[in-house]
Amino acid sequence: MNFVNNISDLLMTPAYADTAAPAQQQGGGFSLVLMTGVFILFMYFVIWRPQSKRAKEQRNLLNSLAKGDEVMTTGGILGKIAKISDSYVQLALTDNVEITIQKSAIAGALPKGTLKSIQ
């Protein structure tokens, strides 16, 4: 029976323990401000900054596109730019096949000669 009492004392705190201990003040507001600042810095360096870098690289890519560039779309289609406008690009997939896509659907530029090396 003594073993059961010892385990129950470990698992459950006595109700009178709260009144026996002297009242202690909680930590100041500075620790909350510090934790909030660390959290904001964490979010900046882990989420916001890399995302803005990727968006800037994508904008630079889309602004630098020119006729004759070989590109890959987000759907995995490879082609050569035949015609380009403000928001649309006409891709030549083969000599007789051209498709029109939104400029934002271009995922990346390929090195010159990539299409010929694949075919």
Side-chain angles (χ1 to χ4, degrees):
M1 195 64 166
N2 192 14
F3 177 72
V4 174
N5 288 336
N6 287 339
I7 290 181
S8 67
D9 285 343
L10 288 175
L11 296 178
M12 295 182 282
T13 58
Y16 59 85
D18 190 45
T19 58
Q24 295 179 358
Q25 287 186 338
Q26 296 294 324
F30 180 71
S31 63
L32 179 63
V33 170
L34 182 65
M35 285 192 320
T36 304
V38 168
F39 179 73
I40 289 172
L41 285 174
F42 176 78
M43 295 298 277
Y44 173 75
F45 284 109
V46 173
I47 295 174
W48 188 76
R49 189 168 178 233
Q51 181 68 24
S52 65
K53 270 186 164 181
R54 282 190 294 270
K56 184 178 179 182
E57 290 172 1
Q58 182 69 12
R59 271 194 313 274
N60 290 339
L61 170 71
L62 294 180
N63 290 335
S64 69
L65 291 177
K67 184 177 177 181
D69 287 348
E70 296 177 2
V71 295
M72 180 175 66
T73 67
T74 55
I77 298 173
L78 304 177
K80 186 181 280 191
I81 295 178
K83 192 187 288 185
I84 191 165
S85 68
D86 287 338
S87 24
Y88 294 98
V89 173
Q90 196 167 16
L91 285 183
L93 304 180
T94 62
D95 293 334
N96 300 330
V97 178
E98 291 184 353
I99 60 171
T100 303
I101 62 167
Q102 287 184 334
K103 207 176 195 181
S104 61
I106 294 178
L110 302 172
K112 295 281 185 187
T114 303
L115 294 176
K116 289 189 180 197
S117 67
I118 292 174
Q119 296 173 349

